[in-house]
């Protein structure tokens, strides 16, 4: 082929591919559910023909078309007892912000400061049209958008809450918007409102402290690359509020209706494939034989059931054995003395299981993915929340009327039995979740289409500046009109002085006049 033909081919192909964008996507958390969310994003962007560079703590099992993986799995890890069930039951691990934030800040630093990522940052041939970063209590990934001089999109794994909303809009009112780690569900009581205000204030102070550490990470590991590329170095405090959009793994059918700014796009459910995969043969057989339907029990993929204390395991087995229904228990180890209706699944195709019409009940830790899937497929739940947003997720499910909550404890088998029996014998729970499932599915476009549309929108409009509200840039003292209050105060004081001056000096004049008359 002649040189000109080659040029022609490359020009034509670049025209043809002109809608293909280059996207950098950071998925920092070495947790299975986060990798499921990450791979959902990859699937949709890849199907839309875009090229994605995926910085990931868990790499996809199979290669995905158009996706280049930067494997950081050997650099990032969470503390070993971070998600250990027994440690949580014995209360040896802090589940609040003070426990989570430092671990995550440490992790974020490791996501940036390692060979492969630093090589990507210093490689001047690498250019991106947009950076998508999973928000994990930390904004330092905004540095990627400064290095590549392109817009930034946050991917938020949970329902809207103040810490993420403040990045693109403003802090919502705590009297009806709860913290991500809270178990409260509006309408709030007096005490709950005070608690929520307290969480915001403490959280804000803690974030200010952590932000100092983030700024150091930014200066050290991003700024040299920004300079190297000859781009302006934005101050960290500006950069972290410069995200174009939040793609939020949430939907009003699962959460609580909240006012959202125009740059906050709920795409909850995008990780669920529209085609349900068939069940494996052995599982299909178990389910076919389940005359009274079946109950599915899974504590998610991060929480290892093997950390459950032995006596709790045995109580659970005994209790399940007393049920009519077949029980599918996702568990990583074989259990001896298993009743005949209880089946252990080391690996469970959760979506295909929940999609089955015989699935009567889902016992879950209440992670957002499981909560989403229960609504997607319309299966009522018993929630045993353990960690992070699971409390608020389960709290909402209970309030919505399709779930019951059981506390993780040494006596949970007993409580679980009561909950299971009540739910199996009362059709209201199923009716309720079918209603919500309808709301969930009744959207103008699928969440996957929404995702692709908004990523492209940000790129095509150079960062979607038109979606930013002035709530972000108006200082708080202006929002509460503190400046007006001060001006009024000054006027009142001034008027008061003026009056006392006028009346006093009048008084003097009067007395002078009087004196004159007397003379
Ligand atoms: C914020 O983002 C926009 C577009 O995405 C960009 O043009 C601008 O330079 C960024 N500002 C800062 C301070 O990073």
């Amino acid at each position: 082929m002649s040189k000109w033909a080659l040029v022609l081919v490359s020009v034509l192909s670049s025209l043809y591919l002109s809608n293909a964008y280059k996207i950098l996507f950071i998925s920092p958390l070495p947790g299975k559910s986060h990798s499921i969310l990450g791979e959902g994003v990859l699937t949709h962007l890849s199907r839309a023909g875009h090229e994605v560079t995926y910085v990931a703590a868990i790499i996809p099992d199979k290669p995905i078309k158009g996706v280049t993986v930067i494997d950081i799995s050997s650099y990032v890890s969470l503390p070993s007892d971070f998600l250990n069930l027994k440690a949580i039951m014995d209360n040896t691990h802090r589940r609040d912000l003070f426990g989570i934030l430092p671990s995550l800040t440490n992790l974020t630093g490791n996501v940036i400061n390692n060979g492969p990522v630093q090589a990507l940052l210093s490689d001047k041939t690498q250019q991106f049209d947009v950076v998508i970063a999973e928000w994990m209590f930390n904004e330092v990934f905004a540095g990627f958008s400064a290095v590549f001089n392109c817009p930034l999109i946050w991917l938020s794994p949970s329902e809207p809450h103040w810490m993420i909303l403040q990045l693109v809009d403003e802090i919502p009112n705590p009297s009806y918007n709860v913290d991500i780690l809270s178990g409260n569900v509006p309408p709030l009581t007096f005490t709950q409102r005070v608690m929520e205000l307290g969480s915001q204030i403490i959280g804000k102070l803690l974030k200010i402290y952590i932000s100092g550490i983030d700024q150091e990470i930014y200066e050290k590991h991003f700024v040299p690359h920004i300079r190297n590329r000859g781009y302006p170095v934005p101050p960290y405090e500006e950069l972290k509020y410069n995200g174009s959009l939040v793609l939020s793994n949430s939907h009003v059918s699962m959460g609580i209706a909240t006012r959202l700014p125009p740059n906050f796009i709920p795409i909850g459910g995008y990780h669920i494939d529209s085609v349900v995969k068939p069940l494996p043969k052995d599982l299909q057989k178990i389910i076919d034989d389940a005359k009274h339907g079946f109950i599915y029990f899974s504590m998610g993929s991060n929480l290892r059931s093997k950390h459950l204390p032995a006596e709790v395991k045995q109580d659970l087995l005994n209790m399940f054995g007393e049920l009519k229904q077949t029980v599918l228990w996702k568990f990583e180890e074989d259990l001896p003395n298993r009743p005949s209706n209880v089946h252990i699944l080391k690996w469970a195709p959760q979506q295909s299981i929940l999609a089955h019409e015989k699935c009567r009940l889902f016992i879950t830790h209440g992670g957002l993915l499981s909560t989403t899937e229960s609504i997607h497929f319309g299966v009522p739940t018993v929630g045993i929340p353990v960690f992070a947003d699971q409390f608020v997720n389960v709290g909402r499910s209970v309030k919505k009327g399709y779930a019951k909550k059981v506390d993780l404890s040494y006596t949970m088998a007993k409580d679980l039995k009561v909950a299971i029996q009540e739910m199996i014998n009362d059709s209201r729970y199923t009716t309720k979740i079918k209603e919500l499932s309808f709301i969930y599915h009744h959207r103008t476009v699928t969440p996957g289409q929404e995702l692709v549309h908004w990523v492209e929108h940000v790129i095509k409009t150079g960062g979607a500046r038109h979606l930013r509200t002035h709530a972000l840039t108006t200082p708080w003292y202006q929002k509460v009109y503190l400046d007006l209050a001060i001006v009024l105060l000054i006027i009142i004081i001034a008027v008061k002085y003026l009056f006392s001056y006028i009346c006093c000096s009048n008084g003097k004049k009067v007395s002078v006049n009087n004196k004159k008359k007397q003379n």
Side-chain angles (χ1 to χ4, degrees), residues 260-289:
L260 296 172
N263 48 6
F264 193 99
I265 313 292
I267 51 165
Y270 74 89
H271 75 283
I272 302 175
D273 225 325
S274 47
V275 187
V276 178
K277 294 197 187 73
L279 287 163
K281 283 220 178 59
D282 47 345
L283 195 52
Q284 183 71 50
K285 166 104 181 48
I286 295 174
I287 290 179
D288 286 343
D289 293 345

mmCIF file of all heavy atoms in Angstrom, residues 260-289:
data_model
loop_
_atom_site.group_PDB
_atom_site.id
_atom_site.type_symbol
_atom_site.label_atom_id
_atom_site.label_comp_id
_atom_site.label_asym_id
_atom_site.label_seq_id
_atom_site.Cartn_x
_atom_site.Cartn_y
_atom_site.Cartn_z
ATOM 1 N N LEU A 260 -32.020 17.025 43.896
ATOM 2 C CA LEU A 260 -30.656 16.834 43.405
ATOM 3 C C LEU A 260 -30.304 17.930 42.422
ATOM 4 O O LEU A 260 -31.148 18.371 41.652
ATOM 5 C CB LEU A 260 -30.548 15.471 42.716
ATOM 6 C CG LEU A 260 -30.764 14.263 43.631
ATOM 7 C CD1 LEU A 260 -30.831 12.980 42.821
ATOM 8 C CD2 LEU A 260 -29.658 14.166 44.671
ATOM 9 N N PRO A 261 -29.044 18.359 42.429
ATOM 10 C CA PRO A 261 -28.621 19.371 41.451
ATOM 11 C C PRO A 261 -28.564 18.754 40.050
ATOM 12 O O PRO A 261 -28.502 17.527 39.914
ATOM 13 C CB PRO A 261 -27.225 19.751 41.933
ATOM 14 C CG PRO A 261 -26.749 18.600 42.734
ATOM 15 C CD PRO A 261 -27.956 17.973 43.335
ATOM 16 N N PRO A 262 -28.550 19.588 38.992
ATOM 17 C CA PRO A 262 -28.581 19.060 37.623
ATOM 18 C C PRO A 262 -27.349 18.231 37.246
ATOM 19 O O PRO A 262 -27.407 17.471 36.297
ATOM 20 C CB PRO A 262 -28.656 20.320 36.744
ATOM 21 C CG PRO A 262 -28.486 21.474 37.638
ATOM 22 C CD PRO A 262 -28.647 21.051 39.047
ATOM 23 N N ASN A 263 -26.268 18.362 38.021
ATOM 24 C CA ASN A 263 -25.080 17.574 37.684
ATOM 25 C C ASN A 263 -24.951 16.325 38.546
ATOM 26 O O ASN A 263 -23.865 15.792 38.728
ATOM 27 C CB ASN A 263 -23.812 18.438 37.787
ATOM 28 C CG ASN A 263 -23.757 19.215 39.079
ATOM 29 O OD1 ASN A 263 -24.606 19.026 39.953
ATOM 30 N ND2 ASN A 263 -22.767 20.078 39.214
ATOM 31 N N PHE A 264 -26.072 15.876 39.080
ATOM 32 C CA PHE A 264 -26.069 14.651 39.875
ATOM 33 C C PHE A 264 -27.023 13.664 39.200
ATOM 34 O O PHE A 264 -28.236 13.880 39.173
ATOM 35 C CB PHE A 264 -26.535 14.968 41.305
ATOM 36 C CG PHE A 264 -26.274 13.859 42.278
ATOM 37 C CD1 PHE A 264 -25.169 13.899 43.120
ATOM 38 C CD2 PHE A 264 -27.123 12.768 42.348
ATOM 39 C CE1 PHE A 264 -24.915 12.867 44.009
ATOM 40 C CE2 PHE A 264 -26.875 11.734 43.239
ATOM 41 C CZ PHE A 264 -25.771 11.790 44.078
ATOM 42 N N ILE A 265 -26.467 12.603 38.622
ATOM 43 C CA ILE A 265 -27.286 11.724 37.788
ATOM 44 C C ILE A 265 -27.405 10.329 38.410
ATOM 45 O O ILE A 265 -26.408 9.594 38.501
ATOM 46 C CB ILE A 265 -26.667 11.582 36.370
ATOM 47 C CG1 ILE A 265 -26.281 12.950 35.799
ATOM 48 C CG2 ILE A 265 -27.605 10.817 35.450
ATOM 49 C CD1 ILE A 265 -27.437 13.858 35.462
ATOM 50 N N PRO A 266 -28.614 9.951 38.851
ATOM 51 C CA PRO A 266 -28.785 8.616 39.435
ATOM 52 C C PRO A 266 -28.822 7.543 38.338
ATOM 53 O O PRO A 266 -29.591 7.664 37.388
ATOM 54 C CB PRO A 266 -30.148 8.688 40.132
ATOM 55 C CG PRO A 266 -30.578 10.111 40.054
ATOM 56 C CD PRO A 266 -29.853 10.733 38.900
ATOM 57 N N ILE A 267 -27.969 6.541 38.454
ATOM 58 C CA ILE A 267 -27.943 5.474 37.459
ATOM 59 C C ILE A 267 -28.008 4.109 38.147
ATOM 60 O O ILE A 267 -27.458 3.120 37.641
ATOM 61 C CB ILE A 267 -26.678 5.551 36.576
ATOM 62 C CG1 ILE A 267 -25.423 5.635 37.444
ATOM 63 C CG2 ILE A 267 -26.737 6.729 35.607
ATOM 64 C CD1 ILE A 267 -24.135 5.350 36.677
ATOM 65 N N GLY A 268 -28.655 4.055 39.309
ATOM 66 C CA GLY A 268 -28.722 2.807 40.077
ATOM 67 C C GLY A 268 -29.262 1.660 39.235
ATOM 68 O O GLY A 268 -30.267 1.820 38.551
ATOM 69 N N GLY A 269 -28.600 0.524 39.303
ATOM 70 C CA GLY A 269 -29.033 -0.664 38.570
ATOM 71 C C GLY A 269 -28.265 -0.886 37.285
ATOM 72 O O GLY A 269 -28.465 -1.893 36.606
ATOM 73 N N TYR A 270 -27.341 0.032 36.948
ATOM 74 C CA TYR A 270 -26.621 -0.107 35.672
ATOM 75 C C TYR A 270 -25.747 -1.351 35.625
ATOM 76 O O TYR A 270 -25.390 -1.817 34.550
ATOM 77 C CB TYR A 270 -25.785 1.156 35.383
ATOM 78 C CG TYR A 270 -24.540 1.260 36.233
ATOM 79 C CD1 TYR A 270 -23.344 0.683 35.814
ATOM 80 C CD2 TYR A 270 -24.569 1.904 37.461
ATOM 81 C CE1 TYR A 270 -22.211 0.758 36.600
ATOM 82 C CE2 TYR A 270 -23.436 1.975 38.248
ATOM 83 C CZ TYR A 270 -22.264 1.409 37.816
ATOM 84 O OH TYR A 270 -21.140 1.467 38.591
ATOM 85 N N HIS A 271 -25.391 -1.870 36.788
ATOM 86 C CA HIS A 271 -24.494 -3.040 36.791
ATOM 87 C C HIS A 271 -25.230 -4.349 36.492
ATOM 88 O O HIS A 271 -24.608 -5.385 36.322
ATOM 89 C CB HIS A 271 -23.786 -3.154 38.143
ATOM 90 C CG HIS A 271 -24.688 -3.661 39.239
ATOM 91 N ND1 HIS A 271 -25.625 -2.870 39.863
ATOM 92 C CD2 HIS A 271 -24.821 -4.896 39.786
ATOM 93 C CE1 HIS A 271 -26.281 -3.585 40.760
ATOM 94 N NE2 HIS A 271 -25.818 -4.807 40.728
ATOM 95 N N ILE A 272 -26.566 -4.283 36.454
ATOM 96 C CA ILE A 272 -27.323 -5.520 36.241
ATOM 97 C C ILE A 272 -27.542 -5.724 34.745
ATOM 98 O O ILE A 272 -28.068 -4.845 34.061
ATOM 99 C CB ILE A 272 -28.682 -5.458 36.969
ATOM 100 C CG1 ILE A 272 -28.441 -5.225 38.467
ATOM 101 C CG2 ILE A 272 -29.484 -6.732 36.725
ATOM 102 C CD1 ILE A 272 -29.697 -5.022 39.272
ATOM 103 N N ASP A 273 -27.144 -6.882 34.265
ATOM 104 C CA ASP A 273 -27.292 -7.163 32.842
ATOM 105 C C ASP A 273 -28.768 -7.364 32.508
ATOM 106 O O ASP A 273 -29.499 -7.955 33.298
ATOM 107 C CB ASP A 273 -26.505 -8.434 32.496
ATOM 108 C CG ASP A 273 -25.711 -8.235 31.223
ATOM 109 O OD1 ASP A 273 -26.226 -7.521 30.332
ATOM 110 O OD2 ASP A 273 -24.592 -8.767 31.122
ATOM 111 N N SER A 274 -29.184 -6.846 31.354
ATOM 112 C CA SER A 274 -30.613 -6.966 31.020
ATOM 113 C C SER A 274 -30.986 -8.417 30.696
ATOM 114 O O SER A 274 -32.140 -8.803 30.820
ATOM 115 C CB SER A 274 -30.960 -6.043 29.859
ATOM 116 O OG SER A 274 -30.001 -6.203 28.839
ATOM 117 N N VAL A 275 -30.006 -9.232 30.308
ATOM 118 C CA VAL A 275 -30.288 -10.646 30.033
ATOM 119 C C VAL A 275 -29.847 -11.473 31.243
ATOM 120 O O VAL A 275 -28.691 -11.414 31.652
ATOM 121 C CB VAL A 275 -29.497 -11.121 28.789
ATOM 122 C CG1 VAL A 275 -29.923 -12.526 28.395
ATOM 123 C CG2 VAL A 275 -29.673 -10.145 27.644
ATOM 124 N N VAL A 276 -30.810 -12.222 31.817
ATOM 125 C CA VAL A 276 -30.455 -13.055 32.970
ATOM 126 C C VAL A 276 -29.806 -14.346 32.467
ATOM 127 O O VAL A 276 -30.345 -15.038 31.608
ATOM 128 C CB VAL A 276 -31.717 -13.388 33.793
ATOM 129 C CG1 VAL A 276 -31.359 -14.290 34.963
ATOM 130 C CG2 VAL A 276 -32.359 -12.107 34.289
ATOM 131 N N LYS A 277 -28.619 -14.641 33.009
ATOM 132 C CA LYS A 277 -27.918 -15.864 32.583
ATOM 133 C C LYS A 277 -28.613 -17.095 33.161
ATOM 134 O O LYS A 277 -29.119 -17.048 34.284
ATOM 135 C CB LYS A 277 -26.473 -15.815 33.071
ATOM 136 C CG LYS A 277 -25.665 -14.722 32.414
ATOM 137 C CD LYS A 277 -24.164 -14.968 32.597
ATOM 138 C CE LYS A 277 -23.377 -13.779 32.097
ATOM 139 N NZ LYS A 277 -23.469 -12.598 33.003
ATOM 140 N N PRO A 278 -28.636 -18.201 32.407
ATOM 141 C CA PRO A 278 -29.280 -19.413 32.942
ATOM 142 C C PRO A 278 -28.518 -19.947 34.155
ATOM 143 O O PRO A 278 -27.311 -19.730 34.290
ATOM 144 C CB PRO A 278 -29.197 -20.398 31.769
ATOM 145 C CG PRO A 278 -28.200 -19.846 30.823
ATOM 146 C CD PRO A 278 -28.103 -18.374 31.057
ATOM 147 N N LEU A 279 -29.245 -20.646 35.038
ATOM 148 C CA LEU A 279 -28.609 -21.207 36.236
ATOM 149 C C LEU A 279 -27.758 -22.410 35.857
ATOM 150 O O LEU A 279 -28.069 -23.111 34.890
ATOM 151 C CB LEU A 279 -29.696 -21.666 37.204
ATOM 152 C CG LEU A 279 -30.479 -20.573 37.937
ATOM 153 C CD1 LEU A 279 -31.765 -21.148 38.515
ATOM 154 C CD2 LEU A 279 -29.624 -19.973 39.040
ATOM 155 N N PRO A 280 -26.688 -22.677 36.628
ATOM 156 C CA PRO A 280 -25.943 -23.911 36.391
ATOM 157 C C PRO A 280 -26.856 -25.123 36.654
ATOM 158 O O PRO A 280 -27.796 -25.024 37.465
ATOM 159 C CB PRO A 280 -24.826 -23.858 37.437
ATOM 160 C CG PRO A 280 -24.899 -22.526 38.084
ATOM 161 C CD PRO A 280 -26.167 -21.864 37.712
ATOM 162 N N LYS A 281 -26.544 -26.257 36.004
ATOM 163 C CA LYS A 281 -27.452 -27.424 36.043
ATOM 164 C C LYS A 281 -27.761 -27.911 37.462
ATOM 165 O O LYS A 281 -28.912 -28.155 37.808
ATOM 166 C CB LYS A 281 -26.840 -28.577 35.237
ATOM 167 C CG LYS A 281 -26.963 -28.404 33.750
ATOM 168 C CD LYS A 281 -27.296 -29.731 33.076
ATOM 169 C CE LYS A 281 -27.467 -29.539 31.575
ATOM 170 N NZ LYS A 281 -26.230 -28.971 30.937
ATOM 171 N N ASP A 282 -26.706 -28.054 38.292
ATOM 172 C CA ASP A 282 -26.936 -28.600 39.639
ATOM 173 C C ASP A 282 -27.857 -27.694 40.454
ATOM 174 O O ASP A 282 -28.750 -28.158 41.167
ATOM 175 C CB ASP A 282 -25.606 -28.842 40.372
ATOM 176 C CG ASP A 282 -24.666 -27.645 40.264
ATOM 177 O OD1 ASP A 282 -24.909 -26.775 39.401
ATOM 178 O OD2 ASP A 282 -23.703 -27.563 41.062
ATOM 179 N N LEU A 283 -27.673 -26.401 40.299
ATOM 180 C CA LEU A 283 -28.495 -25.441 41.035
ATOM 181 C C LEU A 283 -29.933 -25.463 40.517
ATOM 182 O O LEU A 283 -30.898 -25.424 41.289
ATOM 183 C CB LEU A 283 -27.875 -24.049 40.873
ATOM 184 C CG LEU A 283 -28.348 -22.977 41.828
ATOM 185 C CD1 LEU A 283 -28.227 -23.449 43.266
ATOM 186 C CD2 LEU A 283 -27.520 -21.703 41.643
ATOM 187 N N GLN A 284 -30.056 -25.562 39.201
ATOM 188 C CA GLN A 284 -31.371 -25.638 38.576
ATOM 189 C C GLN A 284 -32.153 -26.825 39.153
ATOM 190 O O GLN A 284 -33.329 -26.713 39.480
ATOM 191 C CB GLN A 284 -31.195 -25.806 37.056
ATOM 192 C CG GLN A 284 -32.512 -25.819 36.279
ATOM 193 C CD GLN A 284 -33.157 -24.436 36.247
ATOM 194 O OE1 GLN A 284 -32.512 -23.440 35.926
ATOM 195 N NE2 GLN A 284 -34.429 -24.367 36.616
ATOM 196 N N LYS A 285 -31.440 -27.942 39.345
ATOM 197 C CA LYS A 285 -32.086 -29.163 39.854
ATOM 198 C C LYS A 285 -32.574 -28.934 41.288
ATOM 199 O O LYS A 285 -33.708 -29.269 41.634
ATOM 200 C CB LYS A 285 -31.054 -30.311 39.783
ATOM 201 C CG LYS A 285 -31.363 -31.564 40.533
ATOM 202 C CD LYS A 285 -31.827 -32.647 39.565
ATOM 203 C CE LYS A 285 -32.199 -33.970 40.241
ATOM 204 N NZ LYS A 285 -33.070 -33.865 41.398
ATOM 205 N N ILE A 286 -31.710 -28.333 42.119
ATOM 206 C CA ILE A 286 -32.086 -28.065 43.519
ATOM 207 C C ILE A 286 -33.345 -27.202 43.544
ATOM 208 O O ILE A 286 -34.292 -27.465 44.296
ATOM 209 C CB ILE A 286 -30.941 -27.333 44.268
ATOM 210 C CG1 ILE A 286 -29.707 -28.221 44.374
ATOM 211 C CG2 ILE A 286 -31.401 -26.887 45.643
ATOM 212 C CD1 ILE A 286 -28.484 -27.533 44.957
ATOM 213 N N ILE A 287 -33.365 -26.191 42.693
ATOM 214 C CA ILE A 287 -34.497 -25.264 42.697
ATOM 215 C C ILE A 287 -35.754 -25.937 42.144
ATOM 216 O O ILE A 287 -36.854 -25.757 42.671
ATOM 217 C CB ILE A 287 -34.127 -23.975 41.911
ATOM 218 C CG1 ILE A 287 -33.087 -23.196 42.714
ATOM 219 C CG2 ILE A 287 -35.357 -23.120 41.656
ATOM 220 C CD1 ILE A 287 -32.607 -21.923 42.057
ATOM 221 N N ASP A 288 -35.604 -26.755 41.104
ATOM 222 C CA ASP A 288 -36.760 -27.486 40.564
ATOM 223 C C ASP A 288 -37.405 -28.352 41.644
ATOM 224 O O ASP A 288 -38.620 -28.509 41.700
ATOM 225 C CB ASP A 288 -36.330 -28.374 39.385
ATOM 226 C CG ASP A 288 -36.047 -27.543 38.143
ATOM 227 O OD1 ASP A 288 -36.495 -26.374 38.111
ATOM 228 O OD2 ASP A 288 -35.372 -28.042 37.219
ATOM 229 N N ASP A 289 -36.555 -28.926 42.526
ATOM 230 C CA ASP A 289 -37.064 -29.828 43.557
ATOM 231 C C ASP A 289 -37.638 -29.091 44.767
ATOM 232 O O ASP A 289 -38.210 -29.716 45.664
ATOM 233 C CB ASP A 289 -35.943 -30.758 44.056
ATOM 234 C CG ASP A 289 -35.506 -31.731 42.969
ATOM 235 O OD1 ASP A 289 -36.268 -31.861 41.978
ATOM 236 O OD2 ASP A 289 -34.418 -32.326 43.091
#
